[in-house]
Amino acid sequence: WGGGSCWVTLRVSGWKSPLTIPGGTRQSPINIQWRDSVYDPFLKPLKISYDPTTCLHIWNNGYSFLVEFDDSTDKSIIVGGPLENQYRLKQFHFHWGAINDWGSEHTVDSKFYPAELHLVHWNAVDYPSFEDAVMEGNGLAVIGVFLKLGARHEGLQTLVDALPAVRHKDTVIEFDEFDPSCLIPSCPDYWTYAGSLTTPPLTESVTWIIKKKPIEVDEDQLEAFRTLLFTSDGEEERRMVDNFRPLQPLMNRTVRSSFQ
Ligand SMILES: NS(=O)(=O)c1c(F)c(F)c(-n2cc(CC3CCCCC3)nn2)c(F)c1F
Ligand SMILES: [Zn+2]
């Protein structure tokens, strides 16, 4: 990442060792200061079309739990918004806190939400594989959705019911016919900015699309996330909580909004 002198140190619980990103100029997550975001009238509506039959399995990778999709065709894609072309859905996962006061990765006007959903897509038009796209500036597009405490979310409950089966790191169960668009607010408003993965390899390859409106989930559903473990079966148990990266400097970036 260039010879920049700026070093960004990763200091979070959950990761095994401190990581610094030499020369990082577009790291994620960031605080979104609503009044500093710039309305861009040329931003298009984001078009989301997922095919539930591409859903494969849920697994606990020791950082989060993720639902992975068959990304060998263009069956589940997003297009429009700030994107130059279509991007294929690869997986979605969440970040959450030990308590409801924090847990999201991005903040809005320095406010944390109790959790944040990330739907990870990759640019299969320009790159042959996800692993290649992860290394390219326009390789990934991640939709971020905030979760707030409120009414029970019926679509999320299908996921919550499966969590006991993936309690330990490296456990996986088959999961099919799930359409993650039920987890995305119908309000079209979003912010967008150029950033990075918030987990290793932290590459600066993500066009972030952060939905303005949160979805509501109830306390039992958030508590279900907190029953997961960072640790494998047989190891001393460590609850999977606070699996979010700390805020990174905005540097020379502008956050654009699709709304006034
Ligand atoms: N929080 S985030 O920024 O939305 C986010 C992402 F965008 C990701 F792409 C991943 N990701 C990591 C890998 C391992 C690959 C292993 C082979 C080399 C490329 C990474 N698969 N997906 C991820 F874990 C994550 F948390
Ligand atoms: Zn994430």
Side-chain angles (χ1 to χ4, degrees):
W1 290 294
S5 59
C6 153
W7 292 66
V8 177
T9 306
L10 188 76
R11 295 176 310 281
V12 279
S13 66
W15 312 127
K16 293 182 184 55
S17 62
L19 278 166
T20 52
I21 304 299
T25 58
R26 53 175 277 194
Q27 289 291 292
S28 295
I30 59 169
N31 174 54
I32 296 167
Q33 201 63 35
W34 195 314
R35 66 177 175 283
D36 295 342
S37 61
V38 178
Y39 169 58
D40 179 349
F42 297 103
L43 282 173
K44 302 186 192 73
L46 186 64
K47 290 219 297 279
I48 297 168
S49 45
Y50 296 149
D51 174 342
T53 65
T54 57
C55 189
L56 293 173
H57 49 252
I58 300 186
W59 68 294
N60 175 334
N61 70 350
Y63 287 126
S64 178
F65 69 93
L66 48 157
V67 180
E68 291 206 297
F69 290 77
D70 167 14
D71 59 350
S72 60
T73 72
D74 284 333
K75 280 183 183 169
S76 291
I77 57 157
I78 58 172
V79 67
L83 305 171
E84 291 304 311
N85 49 42
Q86 67 180 35
Y87 284 65
R88 269 185 207 168
L89 177 64
K90 166 83 178 159
Q91 52 106 323
F92 69 82
H93 62 274
F94 296 81
H95 303 263
W96 61 92
I99 61 173
N100 297 339
D101 297 346
W102 61 72
S104 59
E105 294 214 297
H106 293 86
T107 53
V108 179
D109 295 343
S110 300
K111 169 194 155 74
F112 282 94
Y113 285 88
E116 186 173 333
L117 159 65
H118 289 157
L119 297 123
V120 179
H121 311 75
W122 61 282
N123 179 346
V125 170
D126 295 341
Y127 308 112
S129 73
F130 170 76
E131 285 72 13
D132 289 292
V134 166
M135 308 309 287
E136 305 289 341
N138 66 343
L140 302 187
V142 180
I143 298 175
V145 179
F146 295 117
L147 275 62
K148 79 174 222 190
L149 194 57
R152 176 184 156 103
H153 194 293
E154 287 313 322
L156 186 73
Q157 194 54 37
T158 324
L159 273 176
V160 165
D161 292 340
L163 294 184
V166 290
R167 185 158 181 263
H168 291 100
K169 180 180 176 212
D170 294 332
T171 46
V172 58
I173 55 157
E174 197 191 315
F175 196 67
D176 39 33
E177 291 295 329
F178 185 78
D179 178 352
S181 38
C182 75
L183 301 173
I184 302 172
S186 52
C187 174
D189 296 349
Y190 62 84
W191 290 284
T192 182
Y193 78 96
S196 73
L197 275 71
T198 66
T199 67
L202 300 171
T203 40
E204 299 184 330
S205 53
V206 180
T207 299
W208 280 95
I209 299 164
I210 308 284
K211 298 290 283 186
K212 180 185 84 175
K213 283 277 175 30
I215 59 170
E216 288 192 21
V217 301
D218 73 12
E219 180 63 36
D220 290 344
Q221 293 178 315
L222 283 170
E223 275 305 318
F225 286 15
R226 301 179 183 128
T227 64
L228 294 171
L229 300 174
F230 281 125
T231 43
S232 307
D233 197 353
E235 284 182 337
E236 187 189 348
E237 296 195 349
R238 274 188 307 115
R239 286 188 319 137
M240 184 180 274
V241 293
D242 298 335
N243 56 353
F244 57 91
R245 189 189 191 197
L247 292 171
Q248 302 295 311
L250 184 61
M251 317 270 293
N252 179 28
R253 288 180 285 183
T254 302
V255 177
R256 290 181 288 160
S257 64
S258 71
F259 58 94
Q260 279 188 309

